[in-house]
């Protein structure tokens, strides 16, 4: 896939982006959820369209989910609690922009993000032009 091949390691200003590697990245990624008191997504829940923003350390990761409509989802975005606050803020901005651009390049017209985190919701509305929908929290279970 051309887009994925181009995205293995690319520089975005002072930040680098790479594909999320389940074998190398999952343990650290899941520890970020644990640090915040959330259950991390299981490996099987993660899309193959995942990316990590990094500098000296990994800063944040997130995933694009595609559908059979004009709607794509960005999910499981989280930042490394050990990263500097400014790097987390800038890293998430770079990550969301990258995931949105990828969705657009694949023909998707709408992006949906479900979050129960008030600060992230505020950031989406104020800095990215998202509209708050009726759903503010998600629940899931394995079947």
């Amino acid at each position: 896939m051309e887009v994925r091949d181009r995205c293995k390691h690319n520089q975005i200003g002072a930040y680098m982006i790479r594909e999320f590697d389940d074998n190398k990245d999952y343990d650290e990624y899941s520890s970020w959820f644990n640090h915040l008191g959330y259950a991390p997504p299981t490996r099987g829940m993660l899309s193959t369209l995942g990316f990590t923003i990094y500098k000296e350390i990994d800063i944040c990761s997130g995933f694009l989910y595609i559908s059979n409509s004009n709607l794509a989802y960005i999910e499981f975005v989280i930042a490394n609690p050990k990263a500097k606050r400014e790097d987390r803020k800038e890293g998430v901005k770079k990550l969301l922009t990258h995931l949105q651009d990828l969705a657009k390049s694949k023909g998707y017209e709408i992006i949906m993000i479900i979050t129960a985190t008030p600060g992230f919701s505020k950031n989406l509305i104020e800095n990215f032009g998202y509209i708050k929908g009726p759903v503010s929290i998600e629940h899931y279970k394995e079947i």
Side-chain angles (χ1 to χ4, degrees):
M1 176 185 259
E2 181 185 3
V3 171
R4 287 182 56 104
D5 290 343
R6 278 199 331 260
C7 294
K8 292 227 187 254
H9 288 273
N10 284 333
Q11 189 156 353
I12 306 173
Y15 299 87
M16 298 288 290
I17 186 167
R18 70 168 188 272
E19 289 183 12
F20 184 89
D21 183 329
D22 181 63
N23 294 319
K24 295 177 184 173
D25 297 328
Y26 181 79
D27 289 341
E28 180 179 10
Y29 171 77
S30 65
S31 76
W32 303 344
F33 283 90
N34 293 330
H35 178 83
L36 296 173
Y38 296 115
T42 64
R43 291 175 193 263
M45 294 168 70
L46 300 179
S47 168
T48 57
L49 296 174
F51 297 90
T52 297
I53 302 290
Y54 65 100
K55 279 173 59 173
E56 298 85 25
I57 63 171
D58 291 350
I59 296 170
C60 60
S61 295
F63 299 83
L64 179 67
Y65 291 79
I66 56 176
S67 72
N68 61 355
S69 70
N70 69 344
L71 175 69
Y73 296 85
I74 295 174
E75 288 296 336
F76 303 121
V77 172
I78 192 164
N80 182 349
K82 295 178 184 174
K84 296 176 188 170
R85 180 178 169 83
E86 185 58 34
D87 283 341
R88 291 193 311 261
K89 181 179 175 182
E90 216 30 57
V92 168
K93 180 179 177 182
K94 303 289 187 192
L95 177 65
L96 291 177
T97 300
H98 178 75
L99 293 171
Q100 290 171 172
D101 289 349
L102 180 59
K104 189 173 184 177
S105 77
K106 292 179 171 293
Y108 292 93
E109 299 172 357
I110 300 169
I111 292 284
M112 181 179 284
I113 300 175
I114 300 172
T115 182
T117 308
F120 188 46
S121 179
K122 183 178 176 183
N123 185 27
L124 291 171
I125 294 166
E126 292 178 0
N127 299 312
F128 290 94
Y130 280 79
I131 300 166
K132 185 170 175 47
V135 177
S136 63
I137 193 161
E138 61 186 305
H139 296 82
Y140 67 88
K141 74 175 192 175
E142 292 186 35
I143 54 173

